Amino acid sequence: MADTSFFNEMLTADGTPRAAYKQLDGWLEQFPRSDLKRLSREAETIFRRHGITFAVYGTDEETERLIPFDIVPRILSAQEWRRLSAGIDQRVRALNALIHDIYHRQEIIRAGRLPAELVVQNEAFLPEMVGHTPARQVYAHIIGTDIVRVSENEFYVLEDNTRTPSGVSYMLENRETMMHMFPELFQSHRVAPIEHYPEMLRETLESVAPPACDGPPTIAVLTPGIYNSAYYEHAFLADTMGVELVEGRDLFVDDGYLYMRTTRQPERVDVIYRRIDDAFLDPLTFRPDSTLGVPGLFDVYRAGRVTITNAPGTGIADDKAIYSYMPEIIEFYTGEKPILNNVPTWKCEDKDSLAYVLEHLDELVVKEVHGAGGYGMLVGPAASKKERAAFARKLKARPGNYIAQPTLALSACPTFVGAEIAPRHVDLRPYVLVGDKVRITPGGLTRVALKKGSLVVNSSQGGGTKDTWVLED
Amino acid sequence: MLGRTASALFWLSRYVERSEDMARLLDVGYRISLLPGIGNGGHREDWKSTLVSAGCDGGFMNTYDEVNERNVVNYMLFDDDNSSSVRSCLHTARDNARSVRTALTREMWESLNTTWIEFSEIKPHHVTRNKLPSLLDWIKERSMLFRGAMLGTILRNDTFHFSQFGAFIERADNTSRILDVKYHLLLPQNEMIGGGVDNYQWSTILRSVSAHRNYRWIYRDSRPKPWHVAEFLILRREMPRSLIHCYTWLAESMNGIEQIYGERSPSMDIARQTYDTLRAGDMTMIFASGLHEFLQNFVTCNNKLTTALATDYNFA
């Protein structure tokens, strides 16, 4: 009998497959386990040869690692996806409206729906952005929305990544690898295609060209360079979009415009998809010691002569404290009820909340407000007494730095581990593009915690990924 | 094309070419060490000359006390402090390739990436004497695979031409350095000596540029004549590692860039000048004005071309 402490996406409580998984279940049944093992290794070889790697900070031995790829796909039905995508669409519209409002009239604060100090005292709030309106009033163009499922119809948004969400190249390479290895599965399933993501990204970036651009815009992906953990993705996206991959030193500002240094005359750049943080964009405006950015870039941006995606200062909408207000924010800007749930959140800076969190540390997940990548977080139920005690001390020292949420019973999907197929917990990061319209790729990146019982799916913490299918009706 | 992209393509090809040259030099050193001992400390001198030909004798002396096979092999294959060790060459080539992945074809990238992955799995202490030749063969093969992948898949645009610049400037540098290290053996007055020592020295030179067979096809000498060897490696177009062959390719790629960009750059004039000197050259003249001086001058011009390319095409 199946474990019922979590939602199993493939099997119902009595062990029969759900409709979307019916065929896959049969296919897995008949597939010899030894072949699965061989194919799993084959997939790894493909990834390594292609150089689809990421870097882990703080380890010397091997700077480039593979994210483990699980060959069992995750499947979402058309109906499930319709609901998810409607919820995501609503959310990204609200987020962009929020950012615009924060850097302009701050109606939401005036209306008393969001505390002022949460905004103005926030490290992610950029005073330099106040009053600036980018093309089409879009600030967060590329968003990764982290979603978990806890039951048949219950989805929660964990986080809205509005800075520089990564992972989309894995989504695409995973699909590529699956189609290469298991073509028969794609004949027997109507899987919504995702290959057009780079074109959609390009269309999105073209649609937000700055007012000063009068021809077809020149687009460039700005990377910190080959030692960045997501460098593979930067190169991949530039390549598949057919645009230049630039580093800060390839760019310069002259006479109010941004240019690339080429083998010939300088070439003007109109839209930058940047994969470096705000603080490093322009040493004249932000961190003076930054060598990754371009001196004078921000002035060109404010003058409407270049579009930076995502806009500087969008991190304000990616903040875990602001996150807790998302239901109000959605209602305020869209006039609609939120379609996707927010996870109840305790802000530890609040005295009563802190007391509650300290009391219930063994059942909560505690995260840093500005943290990312699963670093510096505590999963209460999985932590030892000692770890909890140590964390409690950090919490008491800087309560404002933390929020806490209940430990959600993440759904699980069949996963190939060792020599068998077993359920492992997953989350989902759909990729959303906002420009002249909202474009959502069906599915997204499923991250899976490969360790039995583990709820931490981050690749930096030993998580893997899966191809994610949305079935068409 | 970004200036940085041009630069990375240039250096990427240069370092792949260099990894192959290093393997070839080591291969020759190894062969000589198999010959019966010659004179006092003959072998040690030969390993020394391998280092000199590779241009890394200075660095070696800073690291090691003794010139012997193990040390030389280690230094030239694996030492991270030696920027021309095969390991460093492959590492630098791959880093450059990563930084311009969008300009490479998948075949080029994968051949280089696989080389790097497999090379980094080799443990230096596993490379015992009997395993050395097959490792050196493998290094050469990987470089040839990369070249083949490039020639077979790359668009014939500026991407191609900047890669060619790197490969052929490096190759010309390597050939001229090998010649210069042994130039005293190639002077006409040596012709009459023809003892066992010289014989193997000449074949060393030919082998280090993979040309001992080719030589016979061109000259049909019963024994290599030193000044034929010099002519072969400097002036014979048929010989793919000769200086003039390298500059024929460089001139062609220069023309290619000129056509694409619709303008002539100062580096083009430098390349053209060197090319013309080689085309007009004959061995009597070169020997008359001094082979060593000729080679020194060539190396200077060759280096000047790199600097000029970097300036003209914003390599920075």
Side-chain angles (χ1 to χ4, degrees):
Chain A
M1 199 76 319
D3 185 345
T4 52
S5 63
F6 55 84
F7 180 74
N8 186 319
E9 295 199 6
M10 179 162 84
L11 302 175
T12 60
D14 63 8
T16 55
R18 298 175 201 281
Y21 274 96
K22 214 171 188 129
Q23 288 194 59
L24 184 75
D25 184 55
W27 181 83
L28 282 172
E29 282 285 298
Q30 53 77 39
F31 213 98
R33 291 302 180 259
S34 55
D35 281 6
L36 278 180
K37 194 161 193 169
R38 179 177 54 77
L39 288 166
S40 186
R41 270 203 307 269
E42 206 170 280
E44 193 183 307
T45 311
I46 293 176
F47 277 75
R48 196 173 282 282
R49 208 176 53 222
H50 293 186
I52 308 173
T53 57
F54 76 106
V56 181
Y57 297 123
T59 53
D60 295 337
E61 358 129 18
E62 197 187 0
T63 48
E64 288 170 39
R65 277 204 215 162
L66 289 181
I67 297 186
F69 169 66
D70 180 55
I71 56 179
V72 186
R74 179 203 201 163
I75 307 180
L76 296 165
S77 71
Q79 189 198 354
E80 286 165 343
W81 179 249
R82 267 195 295 276
R83 181 147 158 265
L84 276 175
S85 58
I88 294 164
D89 183 279
Q90 178 192 53
R91 233 173 141 95
V92 299
R93 282 184 287 117
L95 286 166
N96 271 295
L98 168 72
I99 302 168
H100 182 74
D101 190 25
I102 282 179
Y103 290 116
H104 291 81
R105 290 182 48 79
Q106 305 195 328
E107 303 282 2
I108 194 165
I109 297 174
R110 289 166 203 242
R113 308 284 287 272
L114 192 67
E117 67 272 12
L118 220 53
V119 172
V120 291
Q121 286 169 20
N122 199 308
E123 281 173 41
F125 175 76
L126 282 192
E128 293 86 350
M129 280 296 288
V130 170
H132 181 66
T133 307
R136 293 186 192 272
Q137 270 191 44
V138 180
Y139 294 77
H141 310 81
I142 298 127
I143 299 176
T145 311
D146 286 349
I147 296 174
V148 297
R149 182 179 201 176
V150 300
S151 74
E152 179 98 55
N153 293 311
E154 251 181 307
F155 292 90
Y156 284 91
V157 174
L158 286 186
E159 227 173 288
D160 304 281
N161 296 283
T162 57
R163 296 172 208 226
T164 50
S166 62
V168 76
S169 58
Y170 297 101
M171 171 185 87
L172 295 166
E173 292 282 5
N174 287 354
R175 173 63 54 85
E176 188 80 12
T177 305
M178 285 301 282
M179 291 182 83
H180 172 74
M181 296 181 66
F182 305 108
E184 69 274 22
L185 282 178
F186 290 86
Q187 278 155 18
S188 57
H189 292 82
R190 290 168 50 82
V191 182
I194 55 170
E195 296 81 339
H196 56 299
Y197 178 84
E199 283 122 70
M200 297 203 314
L201 176 57
R202 193 177 168 139
E203 281 162 15
T204 300
L205 296 175
E206 281 172 349
S207 78
V208 293
C213 170
D214 42 18
T218 300
I219 299 167
V221 176
L222 175 59
T223 174
I226 61 169
Y227 297 111
N228 182 268
S229 70
Y231 176 76
Y232 169 75
E233 178 156 303
H234 309 162
F236 176 91
L237 290 173
D239 196 20
T240 49
M241 281 195 287
V243 305
E244 286 290 355
L245 176 66
V246 298
E247 295 179 19
R249 57 191 161 124
D250 297 320
L251 301 174
F252 65 98
V253 170
D254 186 34
D255 205 17
Y257 287 92
L258 179 70
Y259 294 94
M260 300 190 266
R261 269 180 251 279
T262 75
T263 51
R264 312 180 67 191
Q265 280 76 41
E267 193 177 331
R268 219 168 96 182
V269 181
D270 304 298
V271 181
I272 281 196
Y273 175 21
R274 51 87 174 227
R275 296 291 297 255
I276 66 176
D277 292 342
D278 286 353
F280 296 97
L281 276 176
D282 178 354
L284 301 184
T285 306
F286 306 110
R287 272 178 69 156
D289 60 338
S290 167
T291 51
L292 302 175
V294 189
L297 172 62
F298 197 76
D299 286 344
V300 181
Y301 176 65
R302 289 272 328 209
R305 288 167 170 180
V306 68
T307 296
I308 299 176
T309 60
N310 289 349
T314 51
I316 191 76
D318 190 343
D319 179 88
K320 291 190 177 68
I322 300 262
Y323 163 88
S324 57
Y325 289 89
M326 270 315 279
E328 289 93 325
I329 290 168
I330 291 171
E331 283 204 57
F332 187 78
Y333 295 110
T334 67
E336 302 159 9
K337 288 264 172 234
I339 299 172
L340 298 173
N341 300 321
N342 230 46
V343 186
T345 303
W346 290 273
K347 295 175 275 288
C348 299
E349 62 185 343
D350 175 68
K351 238 187 181 152
D352 295 342
S353 298
L354 177 65
Y356 178 89
V357 171
L358 286 169
E359 189 111 327
H360 297 85
L361 218 46
D362 57 339
E363 48 191 70
L364 299 173
V365 176
V366 191
K367 300 176 182 171
E368 286 185 11
V369 174
H370 307 293
Y375 291 102
M377 75 185 238
L378 176 88
V379 181
S384 69
K385 229 178 178 161
K386 220 168 118 193
E387 285 167 329
R388 284 201 296 268
F391 205 90
R393 280 194 294 277
K394 287 204 285 185
L395 199 51
K396 279 186 244 174
R398 289 188 64 194
N401 200 30
Y402 296 94
I403 53 121
Q405 294 170 335
T407 311
L408 299 176
L410 304 195
S411 61
C413 289
T415 303
F416 183 66
V417 278
E420 49 158 6
I421 306 266
R424 289 290 181 269
H425 297 294
V426 292
D427 80 348
L428 178 67
R429 177 180 287 184
Y431 293 93
V432 196
L433 298 167
V434 190
D436 51 346
K437 58 182 181 187
V438 176
R439 296 168 169 88
I440 309 177
T441 329
L445 183 68
T446 290
R447 298 186 298 177
V448 52
L450 295 171
K451 253 185 282 168
K452 190 174 181 186
S454 169
L455 297 171
V456 185
V457 296
N458 303 72
S459 51
S460 50
Q461 316 285 316
T465 67
K466 283 168 166 292
D467 189 16
T468 308
W469 296 358
V470 170
L471 297 186
E472 292 181 332
D473 283 326
Chain B
M1 176 190 288
L2 291 176
R4 185 172 55 82
T5 304
S7 162
L9 289 165
F10 176 88
W11 287 108
L12 146 69
S13 308
R14 251 194 111 144
Y15 276 102
V16 172
E17 179 73 29
R18 191 176 297 178
S19 70
E20 183 185 334
D21 295 342
M22 291 299 138
R24 203 179 289 108
L25 286 172
L26 275 172
D27 194 35
V28 174
Y30 178 77
R31 272 169 185 284
I32 293 173
S33 74
L34 297 177
L35 294 172
I38 301 151
N40 25 3
H43 291 168
R44 211 182 50 219
E45 278 311 301
D46 281 314
W47 281 119
K48 177 90 195 283
S49 109
T50 302
L51 289 169
V52 176
S53 300
C56 57
D57 47 322
F60 179 90
M61 296 306 173
N62 292 336
T63 318
Y64 293 97
D65 296 325
E66 198 193 335
V67 180
N68 60 32
E69 177 174 332
R70 176 133 215 109
N71 287 349
V72 173
V73 167
N74 257 333
Y75 190 69
M76 286 180 61
L77 281 184
F78 298 109
D79 204 315
D80 285 324
D81 295 329
N82 173 9
S83 63
S84 294
S85 72
V86 170
R87 189 186 156 81
S88 299
C89 287
L90 295 177
H91 193 208
T92 312
R94 180 175 179 268
D95 270 3
N96 275 297
R98 275 194 90 201
S99 78
V100 292
R101 259 196 81 155
T102 51
L104 304 182
T105 62
R106 190 152 205 160
E107 286 83 356
M108 288 166 75
W109 162 254
E110 283 185 11
S111 85
L112 192 53
N113 192 39
T114 307
T115 307
W116 171 247
I117 291 169
E118 291 180 9
F119 187 83
S120 33
E121 282 162 4
I122 300 170
K123 303 267 181 293
H125 62 272
H126 289 164
V127 184
T128 47
R129 273 212 106 193
N130 53 343
K131 287 189 186 141
L132 185 61
S134 59
L135 173 60
L136 297 175
D137 281 345
W138 178 82
I139 294 166
K140 285 185 272 178
E141 276 166 28
R142 296 304 303 186
S143 159
M144 292 174 200
L145 181 68
F146 175 79
R147 189 180 309 126
M150 173 165 72
L151 293 176
T153 60
I154 201 173
L155 276 178
R156 293 316 194 256
N157 55 14
D158 41 359
T159 311
F160 172 71
H161 296 307
F162 283 111
S163 311
Q164 296 306 297
F165 293 155
F168 283 95
I169 286 178
E170 179 66 24
R171 189 182 288 186
D173 181 66
N174 183 256
T175 302
S176 59
R177 206 142 15 85
I178 289 170
L179 280 171
D180 201 25
V181 170
K182 309 262 170 161
Y183 84 95
H184 54 281
L185 293 168
L186 297 168
L187 299 178
Q189 60 264 36
N190 265 326
E191 191 183 356
M192 306 315 289
I193 301 175
V197 179
D198 298 314
N199 217 359
Y200 100 86
Q201 290 281 16
W202 296 324
S203 74
T204 303
I205 295 171
L206 290 170
R207 270 184 197 281
S208 56
V209 289
S210 289
H212 49 298
R213 291 269 185 106
N214 288 347
Y215 175 87
R216 296 200 187 275
W217 280 106
I218 298 285
Y219 291 100
R220 304 189 177 271
D221 295 337
S222 52
R223 281 163 187 247
K225 289 200 176 64
W227 60 284
H228 274 171
V229 174
E231 182 189 63
F232 188 47
L233 295 187
I234 297 173
L235 296 178
R236 291 301 289 242
R237 286 167 192 278
E238 304 95 314
M239 165 57 197
R241 309 194 73 86
S242 71
L243 303 187
I244 193 157
H245 181 90
C246 294
Y247 266 77
T248 308
W249 273 67
L250 286 170
E252 206 161 294
S253 268
M254 284 289 173
N255 290 339
I257 286 277
E258 187 177 341
Q259 265 174 28
I260 295 169
Y261 289 177
E263 61 195 9
R264 201 177 169 84
S265 66
S267 41
M268 239 165 255
D269 295 326
I270 294 176
R272 171 66 60 176
Q273 225 171 20
T274 310
Y275 179 55
D276 288 343
T277 311
L278 290 167
R279 225 166 33 157
D282 70 73
M283 282 324 285
T284 326
M285 224 165 70
I286 291 174
F287 280 128
S289 59
L291 176 60
H292 176 62
E293 288 71 19
F294 174 85
L295 291 168
Q296 292 279 308
N297 184 45
F298 177 84
V299 170
T300 310
C301 293
N302 201 39
N303 289 340
K304 224 161 58 186
L305 180 55
T306 300
T307 319
L309 284 169
T311 313
D312 292 348
Y313 299 107
N314 297 309
F315 276 14

